[in-house]
């Protein structure tokens, strides 16, 4: 069925319908349409409508009731058109086929109700997969970072995008490109890690996958959200422009330039007293004028009104709308509020120039035209809708592969892992038999499904116990404690089970939720990094048995694993590994899969002494002038394998130590597998700049590669590193490459350098901008037999 757009006959006969002509450029079509629209029709394109929002106060977010209670009835809301439809699949469980048909019916009503018949752009969350019932649930972003595999993340995003587009969805609210700065922040689970290079390269890959599938990727949260004081959600951000430029902004640059994202969502943050939603310097001067972004900037949910209600920089909704529109926010989400009647009144009074409305409208219309929504042949019902399946073999295969690659083996004393087949195994801990322990906050089963338990999870999610019991049928399981609460009555039974077994697997961690309903997730911030509830007591009691213990941490943030867990023979970390995470963990524990994950965040030694990310200058590390030692228990990039690797022949190609400030340098290393089984080494390249005009991190990641090597074989890994990657924000606020001595360090982690290659940046100080080279090129090729020693 093709929708015929109900354009007035007089407009068509006069040639005023040039906006429908697909032969014209999208910007010309938008320019032809804008003068034909009334103010109400213009503003209708700048708002979303969340018809599923719950005004009873039982919705997912605080302040939601305040924001949706004045939403007009559906018929009135679509009378002049509609910019976006908010989460038609992600608000309640709905059969995918019925949901797609219902969405098509809504679109048909929108087209029929308004004078120009412009369909709505439909957006959904898609951080861990299409946030819909019965859709594949992929690992959380921290697991993407742990995999160090952008290509696999791109493949995942492509599958997510295709499933969304098949259901009639045009825009995905992902990826999250916030670089985590304080692990206490509840949304750490949504970040890819603590390093901007890892976040940027992985995030750009996700964007490419989604955009190539025809879905608009939305970068969030632009910017600074993750650097709040005390790790508290939506709290003030005490950050200077240098940290913003060198740590927070680069992933967004990379995702725009290397991924091609067409949308950006601003953050809730207020940086140095200026709410981002009202920050023209950031949203217009940096994002658009300096970086050249020409897509659509959308508001985070309710954030325009927050300028009045939470930030206190606007006296009323009209003033909030003026500030946001002036700063550069094009579309108010999730539902019509400040950009509705308050903005209309402000325009009519002269407080807001209509030209600002037209500026935002032009961007919105261009994107809708690019999506085909203004074409006569546009059809509201997706093709083959009756065959729509959101959880299929392809999706589950990628979800399992990513989960396997993301499991990190932190410690393995005496080769305790993999588990021997004949070992008597006890499985203890509150997350050991909880399928929900595999899922992050923005997965559909936890984000929405918990409110509709009668519908079930929609997909099969085996717990660790279920997956492990298939391989160890005699497995004995005791929970011991809950994730939260102070009930210690089950610890004695857990201790008994551990003492009676050959090996105890002790599974502890988080339960994701929202706004205090979990221990990790949006609004679930932590006062410190101790394990939640009385899990710490359980760990101490089980370790006290003296029997071998494998500590498994299933969490959305790193927890302190210092002296208190020194007795654990083995430690395994997984960050919400998705619906098949239980299987992946069981396969790693039993040796079916050789672990290859690496930490995307450091694991603290102590629950305090924060913040403690590895991106710190000399005085941010252990010193003699402070009694607090922030040295982590396990550093960023750390991870072990069941095989052994030797690195050799690390060198600078050509032998010259001179690195032109406008050139590049090539370095390489040979990695040999000296063990008895195939494995994957993750080679990491770090930059060390010992003397600079501003303090610099001791090391920072500038390249990496997953290197699969068979037993007895070797591979040569080569990095081509542009000097641009050594740039930083200097004392004048300009991004510069400064001549002087530096080192490129090849390492197994940020704390385990294997080889340090001394180089000298030569030439005059050079200023670089947005078009600088952003990544190192890497090549992996066979190198023959494994080496017998490390000649680095």
């Amino acid at each position: 069925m093709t929708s015929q757009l109900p354009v007035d006959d007089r407009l068509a006969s006069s040639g005023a319908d040039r906006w429908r002509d697909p032969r014209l450029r999208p910007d010309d079509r938008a320019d032809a349409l804008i003068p034909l629209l009334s103010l109400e029709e213009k503003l209708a394109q700048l708002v979303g409508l969340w018809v599923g929002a719950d005004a009873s106060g039982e919705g997912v977010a605080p302040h939601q009731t305040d924001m949706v209670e004045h939403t007009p009835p559906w018929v009135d809301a679509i009378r002049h058109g509609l910019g976006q439809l908010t989460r038609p699949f992600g608000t309640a469980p709905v059969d995918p086929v019925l949901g797609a048909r219902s969405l098509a019916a809504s679109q048909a009503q929108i087209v029929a109700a308004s004078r120009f018949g412009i369909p709505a752009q439909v957006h959904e969350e898609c951080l861990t997969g299409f946030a819909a019932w019965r859709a594949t649930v992929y690992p959380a972003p921290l697991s993407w970072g742990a995999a160090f595999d952008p290509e696999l993340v791109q493949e995942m995003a492509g599958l997510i995008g295709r499933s969304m587009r098949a259901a009639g969805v045009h825009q995905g609210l992902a990826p999250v490109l916030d670089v985590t700065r304080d692990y206490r922040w509840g949304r750490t689970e949504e970040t890819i890690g603590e390093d901007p290079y890892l976040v940027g390269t992985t995030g750009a890959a996700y964007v490419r996958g989604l955009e190539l599938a025809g879905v608009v990727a939305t970068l969030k949260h632009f910017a600074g959200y993750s650097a709040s004081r005390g790790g508290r959600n939506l709290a003030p951000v005490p950050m200077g422009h240098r940290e913003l430029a060198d740590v927070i902004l680069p992933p967004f640059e990379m995702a725009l330039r290397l991924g091609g994202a067409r949308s950006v969502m601003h953050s809730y943050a207020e940086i140095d007293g200026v709410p981002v939603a009202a920050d023209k310097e950031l949203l217009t001067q940096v994002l658009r004028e300096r970086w050249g972004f020409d897509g659509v900037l959308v508001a985070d949910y309710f954030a325009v009104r927050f300028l009045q209600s939470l930030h206190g920089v606007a006296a009323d909704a009209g003033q909030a709308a003026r500030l946001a529109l002036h700063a550069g926010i094009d579309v108010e989400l999730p539902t019509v509020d400040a950009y509705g009647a308050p903005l209309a009144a402000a325009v009519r009074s002269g407080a807001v120039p209509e030209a600002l409305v037209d500026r935002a409208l032009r961007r919105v219309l261009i994107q809708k035209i690019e999506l085909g929504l203004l074409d006569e042949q546009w059809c509201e019902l997706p093709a083959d809708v009756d065959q729509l399946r959101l959880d299929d073999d392809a999706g589950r295969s990628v979800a399992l592969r990513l989960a396997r690659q993301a499991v990190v083996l932190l410690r393995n004393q005496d080769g305790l892992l993999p588990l021997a087949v004949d070992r008597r195994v006890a499985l203890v801990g509150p997350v050991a038999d909880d399928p929900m322990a595999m899922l992050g906050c923005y997965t559909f089963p936890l984000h929405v499904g918990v409110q509709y338990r009668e519908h079930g999870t929609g997909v099969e999610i085996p717990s660790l116990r279920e997956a492990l019991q298939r391989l160890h049928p005699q497995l004995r399981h005791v929970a011991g404690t809950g994730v939260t609460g102070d009930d210690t009555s089950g610890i004695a039974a857990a201790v008994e089970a551990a003492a009676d077994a050959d090996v105890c697997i002790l599974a502890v961690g988080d339960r994701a939720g929202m706004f205090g309903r979990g221990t990790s997730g949006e609004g679930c911030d932590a006062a410190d990094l101790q394990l939640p509830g009385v899990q710490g007591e359980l760990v101490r009691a089980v370790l006290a048995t003296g029997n071998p213990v494998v500590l498994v941490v299933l969490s959305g943030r790193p927890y302190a694993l210092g002296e208190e867990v020194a007795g654990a023979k083995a430690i395994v970390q997984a960050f919400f590994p998705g619906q098949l995470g239980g299987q992946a963990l069981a396969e790693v524990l039993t040796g079916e899969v050789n672990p290859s994950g690496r930490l995307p965040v450091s694991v603290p030694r102590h629950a305090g002494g924060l913040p403690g990310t590895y991106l710190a200058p000399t005085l941010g590390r252990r010193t003699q002038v402070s009694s607090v030692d922030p040295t982590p228990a396990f550093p960023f990039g750390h991870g072990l394998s069941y095989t052994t690797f030797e690195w050799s022949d690390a060198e600078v190609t050509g032998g010259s130590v001179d690195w032109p400030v406008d050139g590049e340098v090539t370095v390489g290393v040979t990695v040999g597998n000296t063990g008895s089984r195939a494995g994957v080494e993750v080679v990491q390249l770090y930059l060390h700049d010992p003397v600079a005009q501003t303090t610099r991190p001791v090391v920072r990641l500038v390249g990496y590669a997953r290197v699969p090597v068979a037993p007895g074989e070797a591979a040569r890994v080569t990095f081509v590193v542009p000097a641009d990657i050594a740039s930083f924000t200097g004392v004048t606020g300009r991004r510069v490459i400064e001549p002087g001595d530096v080192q490129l360090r090849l390492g197994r982690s940020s704390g385990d350098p294997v080889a340090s290659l001394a180089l000298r940046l030569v030439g005059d100080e050079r200023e670089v901008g947005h078009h600088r080279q952003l990544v190192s090129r890497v090549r992996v090729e066979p190198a023959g037999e494994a080496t017998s020693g490390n000649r680095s």
Side-chain angles (χ1 to χ4, degrees):
M1 178 175 63
T2 299
S3 293
Q4 298 297 321
L5 306 183
V7 180
D8 189 288
D9 289 340
R10 290 169 298 175
L11 295 177
S13 63
S14 68
D17 61 339
R18 294 178 68 248
W19 59 275
R20 295 173 60 187
D21 189 345
R23 296 169 298 178
L24 298 179
R25 298 187 319 181
D27 55 339
D28 289 334
R29 292 174 66 181
D31 290 339
L33 177 57
I34 290 172
L36 307 179
L37 301 177
S38 67
L39 178 61
E40 286 77 14
E41 289 168 333
K42 291 177 179 180
L43 295 180
Q45 293 299 317
L46 306 187
V47 297
L49 190 65
W50 195 356
V51 292
D54 187 350
S56 69
E58 297 300 320
V60 297
H63 307 290
Q64 180 170 304
T65 303
D66 300 336
M67 300 300 113
V68 302
E69 62 182 353
H70 300 302
T71 299
W74 169 256
V75 174
D76 294 337
I78 65 173
R79 179 170 298 146
H80 300 293
L82 182 63
Q84 296 216 7
L85 272 172
T86 294
R87 302 191 64 188
F89 288 90
T91 302
V94 58
D95 176 83
V97 173
L98 295 179
R101 289 190 172 278
S102 175
L103 174 58
S106 297
Q107 288 278 39
Q109 292 174 29
I110 293 168
V111 167
S114 59
R115 189 162 63 110
F116 289 89
I118 302 172
Q121 188 164 323
V122 182
H123 76 259
E124 284 286 358
E125 298 284 357
C126 58
L127 191 64
T128 57
F130 182 12
W133 194 49
R134 294 183 178 172
T136 302
V137 182
Y138 296 90
L142 269 184
S143 281
W144 311 352
F148 276 75
D149 192 345
E151 290 77 15
L152 184 54
V153 169
Q154 180 172 334
E155 185 178 351
M156 173 192 71
L159 293 173
I160 294 170
R162 286 192 285 277
S163 68
M164 295 172 74
R165 198 62 200 259
V169 178
H170 312 104
Q171 180 173 357
L173 302 188
V176 169
L177 298 179
D178 297 294
V179 178
T180 189
R181 303 295 283 161
D182 189 329
Y183 313 133
R184 295 173 296 182
W185 189 47
R187 301 190 80 165
T188 293
E189 64 169 72
E190 297 180 50
T191 72
I192 297 168
E194 67 184 44
D195 179 87
Y197 189 88
L198 178 64
V199 174
T201 50
T202 306
Y206 181 96
V207 170
R208 283 194 298 272
L210 208 64
E211 289 282 356
L212 288 172
V215 172
V216 175
T218 305
L219 311 183
K220 61 185 196 180
H221 307 86
F222 188 77
Y225 188 27
S226 57
S228 59
R229 182 176 278 118
R232 296 177 60 245
N233 193 50
L234 225 168
V237 174
M239 179 170 54
H241 284 279
R242 190 165 287 104
E243 181 182 358
L244 181 70
D246 289 349
V247 178
I248 301 298
L249 295 185
F252 292 94
E253 290 186 85
M254 296 169 81
L256 289 172
R257 280 189 50 202
L258 307 179
R262 288 180 284 172
S263 181
V264 172
M265 174 181 279
H266 76 84
S267 89
Y268 286 130
E270 56 179 70
I271 302 175
D272 195 22
V274 179
V276 171
D279 192 344
K280 181 181 179 181
E281 178 183 358
L282 188 59
L283 300 186
T284 294
Q285 293 174 9
V286 172
L287 181 62
R288 295 194 182 277
E289 296 173 5
R290 190 184 306 168
W291 293 358
F293 174 67
D294 60 1
V296 175
L297 181 62
V298 300
D300 204 343
Y301 285 12
F302 312 119
V304 175
R305 175 73 78 153
F306 284 171
L307 292 173
Q308 172 200 358
S309 60
L310 298 184
H311 296 294
V313 296
D316 52 37
Q319 189 177 5
R322 178 180 65 81
L323 288 171
L325 196 64
H326 179 73
I329 296 175
D330 301 316
V331 177
E332 180 182 29
L333 297 179
T335 201
V336 57
D337 181 36
Y339 274 23
L343 181 54
V347 172
R348 288 200 170 91
S349 71
V352 174
E354 191 165 351
L356 285 180
V357 173
D358 291 347
R359 181 182 72 173
L361 175 63
R362 187 174 189 268
R363 296 165 183 158
V364 168
L365 292 177
I366 288 173
Q367 188 160 103
K368 286 193 171 187
I369 291 167
E370 291 173 343
L371 289 168
L373 297 181
L374 272 66
D375 294 345
E376 280 193 282
Q377 67 269 25
W378 174 80
C379 180
E380 63 266 20
L381 192 65
D384 300 323
V385 66
D386 289 327
Q387 280 72 53
L388 181 62
R389 299 292 181 271
L390 303 183
D391 182 38
D392 57 16
D393 290 342
R396 288 190 294 271
S397 174
V398 169
L400 180 58
R401 286 163 53 202
L402 184 54
R404 287 167 172 164
Q405 291 185 190
V407 175
V408 186
L409 178 61
L410 299 180
R411 178 189 298 165
N412 192 22
Q413 292 179 0
D414 304 325
L416 179 61
L417 293 177
L419 293 170
V421 176
D422 58 351
R423 290 288 185 98
R424 292 178 301 119
V425 178
L427 180 61
V428 168
V431 302
D433 196 26
D434 182 4
M436 297 297 107
M438 303 295 162
L439 309 184
C441 169
Y442 268 86
T443 57
F444 187 90
L446 277 179
H447 194 69
V448 177
V450 291
Q451 302 173 64
Y452 302 91
R453 297 184 187 278
E454 67 276 12
H455 289 266
T457 59
V459 293
E460 185 178 351
I461 311 170
S463 68
L464 176 57
R465 182 195 63 78
E466 291 173 305
L468 198 56
Q469 198 137 33
R470 297 169 190 164
L471 304 171
H472 280 269
Q474 304 306 314
L475 185 75
R476 180 181 177 186
H477 168 251
V478 179
T481 69
V483 171
T484 57
D486 57 4
D487 184 2
T488 61
S489 61
I491 292 181
V495 168
E496 179 186 354
D500 190 48
D502 295 325
V503 178
C504 176
I505 299 173
L506 175 55
V508 296
D510 278 319
R511 175 66 180 263
M514 295 193 74
F515 303 109
R517 301 174 193 139
T519 60
S520 175
E522 185 172 359
C524 296
D525 310 317
D528 56 41
L529 294 176
Q530 299 181 72
L531 287 166
V534 292
Q535 293 182 84
E537 292 186 40
L538 174 65
V539 171
R540 289 188 290 272
V542 170
L543 289 176
T545 65
N547 268 11
V549 172
V550 179
L551 180 65
V552 175
V553 184
L554 266 166
S555 63
R557 62 165 64 86
Y559 283 101
L561 299 178
E563 294 179 0
E564 287 193 341
V565 298
K569 291 286 188 180
I571 303 177
V572 175
Q573 172 72 62
F575 298 105
F576 292 148
Q579 73 181 65
L580 293 173
Q583 178 180 338
L585 269 168
E587 291 172 341
V588 167
L589 291 170
T590 58
E592 288 193 20
V593 169
N594 193 349
S596 61
R598 300 296 185 267
L599 285 175
V601 287
S602 305
V603 173
R605 186 176 305 276
H606 306 292
L610 301 170
T613 71
Y614 94 102
L615 282 179
T618 300
L619 287 178
R621 298 197 169 195
R622 182 179 183 179
T623 69
Q624 296 180 339
V625 295
S626 173
S627 59
V628 175
D629 181 2
T631 304
F634 302 99
F636 171 87
H638 173 74
L640 304 177
S641 171
Y642 292 151
T643 191
T644 55
F645 298 98
E646 292 287 353
W647 296 25
S648 62
D649 301 324
E651 62 181 5
V652 179
T653 301
S656 174
V657 299
D658 287 347
W659 185 6
V661 295
D662 59 352
E664 57 189 26
V665 68
T666 301
V667 300
V669 67
T670 297
V671 177
N673 185 341
T674 57
S676 60
R677 62 180 296 174
V680 175
E681 180 73 298
V682 179
V683 176
Q684 300 160 48
L685 184 68
Y686 293 89
L687 175 70
H688 171 61
D689 189 350
V691 180
Q693 59 187 263
T694 66
T695 61
R696 306 295 302 132
V698 175
V699 291
R700 62 181 177 94
L701 188 70
V702 295
Y704 59 88
R706 286 180 60 87
V707 186
V709 192
E713 299 296 324
R716 184 70 180 173
V717 185
T718 304
F719 294 95
V720 180
V721 189
D724 288 7
I725 216 164
S727 65
F728 61 94
T729 303
V731 292
T732 64
R734 298 177 296 112
R735 178 173 287 277
V736 297
I737 305 169
E738 187 179 34
D741 293 333
V742 297
Q743 293 177 13
L744 286 175
R745 297 179 176 178
L746 291 151
R748 296 185 177 93
S749 74
S750 60
D752 185 12
V754 175
S756 296
L757 304 174
L759 295 161
R760 183 186 307 112
L761 284 162
V762 296
D764 295 330
E765 181 176 294
R766 175 170 165 254
E767 182 176 350
V768 295
H770 175 57
H771 294 289
R772 69 192 184 278
Q773 295 186 67
L774 296 171
V775 297
S776 300
R777 304 191 302 279
V778 62
R779 184 174 65 253
V780 179
E781 52 194 355
E785 294 183 359
T787 59
S788 59
N790 190 332
R791 300 191 298 274
S792 301

